[in-house]
């Protein structure tokens, strides 16, 4: 049997397992273990265990539960809600100010949590009802929340970039820095879109009334102080890391400690909060661990049979595709898979095939990681089966229909696609900062 046919059979079997409703890590791990035994015999039973030991020997793995804990404790302690109240007052006089404040809130939540679902949940439960009550256009603000939440897996400390770094064996620090500038660029594009739309059609976003904004300066500063805590935690954590004073793991410990102290300073740290946060952190961390283990085991078998090199030969030699055409095919496959799978499941499925291929084609793995994360988020909000579309529908009030949600994401998909095009034309948007810090 040829290597190409073995590779096709492995992926087809994995797809069939996923269609049965099995857990993603179980489907991938089963195919990896079964293929290893069939191809190499009884001795191959060691391959999944070797992949496990390889993962447990990777020190940055410790950052994963710490960053997840940091995001959950800041969210559960209500610090994100305090931050939104501050934006409500300080951006209230600006046309579309609450929508702009929501985008800024999403950027901060991204820096706090690193997961797009967290930003979407807070935006839908905190920001959306408030803007609807004030007469904002429901299509505009639904798009703002979905587009803003897409920054969650790009702006550091991005959990998805940590996972990508583990599987692709790419430095997480460089991936974080590479995601920062594109993330801020997209946030600026979203903000500019809201400003322009609201100037052209003021009825979309009424300003907040003077009665609500006429409060003493001291009270405004108190509200502003409530929103400073997440910024202080983020810049302390990232600043010490970028300047070389702390390692990646030490920075994650500083972030987790800072979040705990912030909850304590707010008077909201109690056993119930710690229990809820710990349970959620453990559940998400274990899920990610199983996914990574399954991906590494699958990758060990896949690389062992030379399937990646065979597929590279198929694309380049037989089909005579250029490296850029192959890259665009990969991006298109992300969008299709992202309609049915979340980003972590998609990553562990395609990484064994795509990462060696990207390296062989001569592309930078750090740059490709940023393209992957943006494309994942486009897939998340692309009809008809976008993952975040249905999450938004589940959390939104009844007056917002699924058609409203579909309409709302069109301009944001266009802007995110433009961001990908810009990154392809100008890779230094992503690579300038990591090259500057790491001296390349």
């Amino acid at each position: 049997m040829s290597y190409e046919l073995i590779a096709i059979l492995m992926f087809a079997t994995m797809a069939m397992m996923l269609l049965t409703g099995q857990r993603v890590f179980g489907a991938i791990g089963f195919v990896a273990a079964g293929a290893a035994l069939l191809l190499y015999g009884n001795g191959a039973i060691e391959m999944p265990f070797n992949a496990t030991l390889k993962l447990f020997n990777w020190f940055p793995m410790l950052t994963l539960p710490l960053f997840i804990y940091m995001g959950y404790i800041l969210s559960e302690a209500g610090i994100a809600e305090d931050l939104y109240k501050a934006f409500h007052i300080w951006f209230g006089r600006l046309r579309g100010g609450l929508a702009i404040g929501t985008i800024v809130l999403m950027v901060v939540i991204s820096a706090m949590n690193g997961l797009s679902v967290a930003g979407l949940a807070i935006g839908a439960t905190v920001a959306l009802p408030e803007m609807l009550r004030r007469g904002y256009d429901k299509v505009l603000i639904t798009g703002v929340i979905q587009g803003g939440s897409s920054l969650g897996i790009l702006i550091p400390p991005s959990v998805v970039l940590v996972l990508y770094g583990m599987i692709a064996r790419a430095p997480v620090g460089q991936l974080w820095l590479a995601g920062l500038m594109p993330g801020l660029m997209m946030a600026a594009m979203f903000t500019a879109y809201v400003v322009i739309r609201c100037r052209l059609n003021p009825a979309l976003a009424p300003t907040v009334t003077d009665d609500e904004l006429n409060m003493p300066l001291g009270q405004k500063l108190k509200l502003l102080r409530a929103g400073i805590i997440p910024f202080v935690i983020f810049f302390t954590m990232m600043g010490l890391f970028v300047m070389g004073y702390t390692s990646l793991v030490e920075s994650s410990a500083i972030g987790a400690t800072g979040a705990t102290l912030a909850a304590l300073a707010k008077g909201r740290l109690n056993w119930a909060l710690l229990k809820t946060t710990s349970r959620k952190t453990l559940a998400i961390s274990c899920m990610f661990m199983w996914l990574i283990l399954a991906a590494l085991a699958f990758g060990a078998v896949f690389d062992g049979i030379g399937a990646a090199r065979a597929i590279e030969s198929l694309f380049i030699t037989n089909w005579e595709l250029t490296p850029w055409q192959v890259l665009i095919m990969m991006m298109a496959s992300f969008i299709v898979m992202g309609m049915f799978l979340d980003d972590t499941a998609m990553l562990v499925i395609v990484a064994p095939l795509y990462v060696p291929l990207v390296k062989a084609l001569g592309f930078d793995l750090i740059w490709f990681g940023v393209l992957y994360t943006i494309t994942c988020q486009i897939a998340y909000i692309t009809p008809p089966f976008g993952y975040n579309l249905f999450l938004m529908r589940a959390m939104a009030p009844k007056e917002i229909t699924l058609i409203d949600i579909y309409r709302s994401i069109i301009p944001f998909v266009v802007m995110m696609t433009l961001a990908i095009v810009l990154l392809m034309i100008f890779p230094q948007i992503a690579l300038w900062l990591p090259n500057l810090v790491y001296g390349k």
Side-chain angles (χ1 to χ4, degrees):
M1 187 181 291
S2 67
Y3 293 147
E4 291 92 340
L5 184 55
I6 293 173
I8 291 170
L9 282 174
M10 286 179 68
F11 272 95
T13 305
M14 182 173 60
M16 288 180 63
M17 289 289 295
L18 290 170
L19 289 174
T20 65
Q22 298 295 324
R23 294 184 183 275
V24 173
F25 74 84
I28 298 171
F30 173 79
V31 174
L37 289 171
L38 289 172
L39 290 169
Y40 300 109
N42 292 336
I45 199 168
E46 299 294 333
M47 293 182 75
F49 291 105
N50 290 338
T52 304
L53 291 173
K54 189 186 299 183
L55 174 65
F56 288 156
N57 286 331
W58 202 62
F59 205 63
M61 187 71 198
L62 292 171
T63 63
L64 194 63
L66 288 170
F67 283 131
I68 294 169
Y69 168 85
M70 180 184 76
Y72 273 123
I73 201 164
L74 287 172
S75 174
E76 295 292 328
I79 292 173
E81 293 183 32
D82 293 342
L83 186 60
Y84 186 74
K85 291 176 184 175
F87 289 145
H88 164 67
I89 296 301
W90 285 92
F91 287 91
R93 295 190 187 278
L94 178 66
R95 180 72 63 181
L98 291 185
I100 295 169
T102 300
I103 293 172
V104 178
L105 174 68
M106 295 297 181
V107 173
V108 178
I109 292 171
S110 301
M112 285 163 35
N113 193 283
L115 295 169
S116 67
V117 175
L120 184 65
I122 292 173
T125 55
V126 177
L128 184 60
E130 191 70 19
M131 287 189 283
L132 282 174
R133 188 173 68 83
R134 297 175 189 284
Y136 272 66
D137 180 73
K138 59 183 180 179
V139 174
L140 173 68
I141 58 178
T142 304
V144 163
I145 291 169
Q146 290 185 97
S149 69
S150 68
L151 304 171
I153 65 169
L154 195 59
I155 293 177
S158 166
V159 172
V160 173
L161 285 177
V162 173
L163 296 176
Y164 174 83
M166 292 175 186
I167 296 173
R169 290 291 183 263
V172 175
Q174 292 186 37
L175 284 166
W176 276 358
L177 295 176
L180 183 59
M181 294 304 292
L184 294 177
M185 178 183 74
M186 286 201 298
M189 292 167 69
F190 296 167
T191 302
Y193 164 75
V194 170
V195 171
I196 293 169
R197 279 291 309 276
C198 293
R199 282 187 180 275
L200 294 175
N201 187 358
L204 293 175
T207 56
V208 178
T209 63
D210 289 338
D211 291 339
E212 293 178 284
L213 295 178
N214 288 337
M215 64 168 56
L217 181 61
Q219 197 171 346
K220 284 187 176 183
L221 292 175
K222 187 177 179 181
L223 277 173
L224 185 62
R225 189 172 69 238
I228 289 176
I229 292 174
F231 288 99
V232 172
I233 293 172
F234 173 71
F235 285 112
T236 301
M237 178 181 67
M238 292 302 297
L240 291 173
F241 172 67
V242 169
M243 291 187 291
Y245 291 112
T246 59
S247 68
L248 185 65
V249 177
E250 290 166 343
S251 293
S252 65
I254 289 171
T257 304
T260 306
L261 293 175
L264 179 64
K266 288 284 184 182
R268 297 167 183 169
L269 187 66
N270 52 50
W271 285 115
L273 175 68
L274 287 174
K275 183 178 179 180
T276 301
T277 301
S278 300
R279 282 181 178 276
K280 289 184 176 181
T281 301
L282 181 63
I284 297 295
S285 300
C286 290
M287 181 192 72
F288 283 153
M289 286 282 286
W290 280 111
L291 284 168
I292 298 167
L293 289 175
L296 290 175
F298 190 93
V301 179
F302 206 75
D303 289 342
I305 63 173
R309 289 186 293 275
I311 292 173
E312 176 194 348
S313 175
L314 175 68
F315 284 150
I316 303 298
T317 306
N318 297 353
W319 291 3
E320 298 182 349
L321 298 177
T322 66
W324 282 102
Q325 288 173 325
V326 176
L327 183 71
I328 291 169
M329 285 178 60
M330 292 180 191
M331 309 289 275
S333 71
F334 287 151
I335 292 177
V336 174
M337 285 189 291
M339 294 179 184
F340 307 96
L341 300 168
D342 64 27
D343 43 24
T344 52
M346 186 165 40
L347 178 60
V348 298
I349 289 170
V350 301
L353 171 62
Y354 286 0
V355 168
L357 191 56
V358 168
K359 191 183 297 184
L361 292 173
F363 294 116
D364 190 289
L365 285 179
I366 303 294
W367 171 77
F368 179 74
V370 176
L371 292 183
Y372 160 77
T373 56
I374 299 176
T375 312
C376 278
Q377 287 309 106
I378 292 177
Y380 266 24
I381 60 174
T382 303
F385 302 113
Y387 190 75
N388 276 14
L389 296 175
F390 295 108
L391 287 176
M392 186 70 194
R393 182 66 197 91
M395 291 183 284
K398 290 182 179 179
E399 62 261 36
I400 295 179
T401 66
L402 193 58
I403 299 300
D404 293 329
I405 294 172
Y406 282 174
R407 287 174 53 209
S408 71
I409 52 84
I410 294 172
F412 292 90
V413 168
V414 171
M415 286 185 281
M416 293 165 77
T417 305
L418 176 60
I420 289 178
V421 173
L422 289 173
L423 281 167
M424 287 182 168
I425 298 173
F426 306 106
Q428 287 304 311
I429 295 174
L431 298 177
W432 171 76
L433 190 56
N435 289 347
L436 177 68
V437 172
Y438 288 90
K440 289 188 178 181

